[in-house]
């Protein structure tokens, strides 16, 4: 019998952005980290390329915050996007060359908010659904990992893991073993995201941190140990619903990130502004060197978001629900 699912006209998919509550960078060196999905994310619509559209390979049309038209012959496309397109064609076969993919979203790119992981996961979900061959959880993770490697060099995997799972997770990658576990947050949490200048890329930030680490190996090992311990305390505070403790731990994590030299004057200013305006805690999120801060608030967050905007910084509010969405099991080896 004919496979009806392979005849869908279009497929739609979505993937959320992410923020790291504690453990960015340290996670690359085996420390535990905690990440949460954002309400803002990336939407993708996949259909067949109209006959009047000329394109070599699939045509990706970025709308809103994303890039313009990208296909395999676009001269203006960043090289890693072209490699990502080639990877998609290799994965889904020659039929992928006839696809028209609209990308839209509310996630500013290059700000440590997981835009590349969200784009990768949304594309993989959308294209596989269009062909009527949805990917298993494991295959989605593998392909997202390959795309993130194209975008970021050697990622720990925390970004696409939280984007795929869509709930708060603990994450640790050590000695080739990857552990990923759900964290049940006792009370709903509200965070204000303040957007600073773009960072110079995760790959670059991770490589430069490694250069510094080589010069100060023992001190960096201690900082990573401290961040690992903070992640343990943060998990406890989240599960017990200790709001002010979560905020204090975020402030401590920011201190560590400053010691690792991934903060900037602008990020420090945004954190300070958030704390002065009643936030329980604030820290940069993601690779640093620019990007964004997250601030935990006790209220709906709109006043702080407006304060950021008044001072010229884009801002949005995001919530984390009080219940874990999925049971991920104890440990996965990928
Ligand atoms: C980027 O969101 C998080 C980093 O720790 C890099 C990684 O884990 O791949 C900076």
């Amino acid at each position: 019998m004919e496979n009806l699912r392979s005849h869908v006209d279009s497929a739609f998919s979505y993937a959320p952005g992410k923020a790291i509550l504690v453990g960015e960078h340290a996670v690359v060196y085996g420390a535990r980290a905690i990440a949460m999905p954002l309400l803002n994310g990336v939407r993708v619509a996949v259909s067949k390329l109209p006959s009047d559209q000329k394109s070599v390979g699939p045509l990706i049309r970025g709308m809103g915050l994303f890039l313009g038209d990208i296909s395999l012959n676009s001269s203006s496309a960043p090289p890693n996007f072209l490699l990502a397109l080639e990877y998609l064609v290799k994965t889904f076969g020659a039929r992928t060359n006839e696809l028209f993919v609209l990308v839209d979203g509310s996630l500013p790119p290059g700000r440590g908010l997981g835009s590349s992981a969200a784009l990768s996961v949304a594309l993989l979900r959308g294209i596989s659904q269009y062909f009527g061959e949805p990917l298993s959880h494991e295959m989605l993770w593998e392909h997202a990992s390959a795309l993130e490697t194209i975008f970021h060099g050697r990622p720990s995997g925390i970004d696409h893991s939280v984007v795929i799972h869509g709930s708060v997770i603990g994450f640790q990658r050590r000695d080739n073993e990857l552990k990923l576990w759900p964290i049940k947050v006792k009370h709903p949490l509200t965070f204000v995201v303040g957007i600073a200048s773009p960072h110079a890329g995760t790959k670059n930030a991770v490589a430069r941190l490694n250069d510094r680490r080589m010069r100060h190996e023992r001190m960096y090992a201690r900082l990573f140990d401290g961040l690992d311990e903070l992640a343990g305390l943060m998990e406890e505070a989240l599960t017990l619903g200790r709001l002010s403790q979560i905020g204090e731990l975020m402030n401590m994590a920011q201190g560590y990130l400053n010691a690792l030299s991934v903060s900037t004057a602008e990020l420090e200013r945004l954190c300070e502004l958030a704390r002065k305006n009643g936030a329980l805690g604030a820290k940069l999120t993601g690779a640093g060197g620019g990007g964004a801060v997250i601030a935990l608030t006790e209220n709906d967050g709109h006043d702080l978001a407006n304060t950021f905007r008044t001072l010229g910084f884009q801002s949005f509010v995001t919530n984390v629900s009080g219940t874990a969405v999925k049971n991920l099991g104890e440990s996965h080896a990928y």
Side-chain angles (χ1 to χ4, degrees):
M1 198 175 96
E2 234 184 351
N3 180 1
L4 288 177
R5 299 192 66 184
S6 66
H7 290 278
V8 292
D9 284 339
S10 38
F12 302 91
S13 67
Y14 174 79
K18 71 92 198 13
I20 298 182
L21 258 179
V22 60
E24 47 274 269
H25 287 292
V27 71
V28 175
Y29 299 93
R32 285 168 290 173
I34 298 179
M36 62 186 196
L38 298 174
L39 293 180
N40 291 36
V42 172
R43 287 184 297 268
V44 153
V46 184
S47 54
K48 196 169 159 53
L49 195 67
S51 49
D52 59 341
Q53 291 279 348
K54 296 273 166 283
S55 171
V56 174
L59 177 63
I60 311 265
R61 175 160 296 165
M63 298 160 70
L65 296 161
F66 284 88
L67 301 154
D69 281 5
I70 297 181
S71 62
L72 288 173
N73 60 335
S74 359
S75 51
S76 58
N80 52 6
F81 270 82
L82 297 181
L83 288 173
L85 272 192
E86 278 169 13
Y87 181 85
L88 290 171
V89 174
K90 204 173 79 195
T91 302
F92 294 103
R95 56 191 176 163
T96 316
N97 287 319
E98 290 167 19
L99 294 185
F100 180 47
V101 183
L102 281 172
V103 180
D104 191 9
S106 50
L107 206 57
R111 302 310 211 282
L113 298 173
S115 60
S116 70
L119 177 64
S120 303
V121 172
L123 282 173
L124 289 163
R125 279 186 178 143
I127 295 174
S128 60
Q129 273 164 36
Y130 179 82
F131 291 132
E133 298 161 8
L135 293 166
S136 68
H137 202 82
E138 283 70 24
M139 285 316 291
L140 180 60
W141 197 94
E142 288 295 340
H143 290 310
S145 189
L147 289 174
E148 278 286 271
T149 302
I150 292 173
F151 287 122
H152 290 320
R154 282 187 62 230
S156 66
I158 190 170
D159 287 14
H160 56 278
S161 294
V162 68
V163 163
I164 288 172
H165 290 296
S167 58
V168 180
I169 58 164
F171 182 96
Q172 185 173 36
R173 185 170 207 158
R174 211 170 37 179
D175 305 329
N176 282 335
E177 195 201 358
L178 188 151
K179 283 192 195 151
L180 198 152
W181 61 99
I183 293 181
K184 196 165 161 45
V185 178
K186 185 159 186 199
H187 298 305
L189 303 172
T190 302
F191 295 89
V192 179
V193 181
I195 315 285
S197 316
H199 60 53
T202 303
K203 196 175 185 167
N204 181 47
V206 170
R208 289 182 58 195
L209 186 141
N210 193 38
D211 291 343
R212 295 191 293 277
R213 186 186 70 91
M214 309 271 254
R215 291 196 294 277
H216 306 282
E217 230 168 304
R218 273 184 48 204
M219 283 314 297
Y220 268 59
R222 281 190 204 161
L223 294 171
F224 297 149
D225 281 349
L227 281 160
D228 178 73
E229 200 176 333
L230 268 188
L233 295 171
M234 180 68 89
E235 178 167 353
E236 196 178 285
L238 289 166
T239 50
L240 295 174
R242 297 201 171 131
L243 210 60
S244 55
Q245 200 177 335
I246 298 169
E248 275 178 8
L249 294 169
M250 288 171 68
N251 288 338
M252 278 193 247
Q254 177 60 21
Y256 274 95
L257 291 165
N258 203 345
L260 291 171
S261 301
V262 293
S263 192
T264 64
E266 193 185 34
L267 293 168
E268 291 298 325
R269 183 178 164 220
L270 285 173
C271 287
E272 208 34 49
L273 207 65
R275 293 175 195 135
K276 282 210 173 99
N277 282 274
L280 297 171
K283 66 179 283 292
L284 71 84
T285 182
V293 301
I294 49 169
L296 177 67
T297 65
E298 275 181 296
N299 51 38
D300 66 9
H302 291 298
D303 285 349
L304 178 56
N306 282 332
T307 305
F308 281 150
R309 287 186 202 115
T310 310
L311 292 164
F313 299 100
Q314 269 182 287
S315 181
F316 60 86
V317 175
T318 193
N319 299 303
V320 168
S321 113
T323 50
V325 190
K326 295 184 179 86
N327 178 5
L328 310 178
E330 283 302 303
S331 166
H332 295 263
Y334 287 96

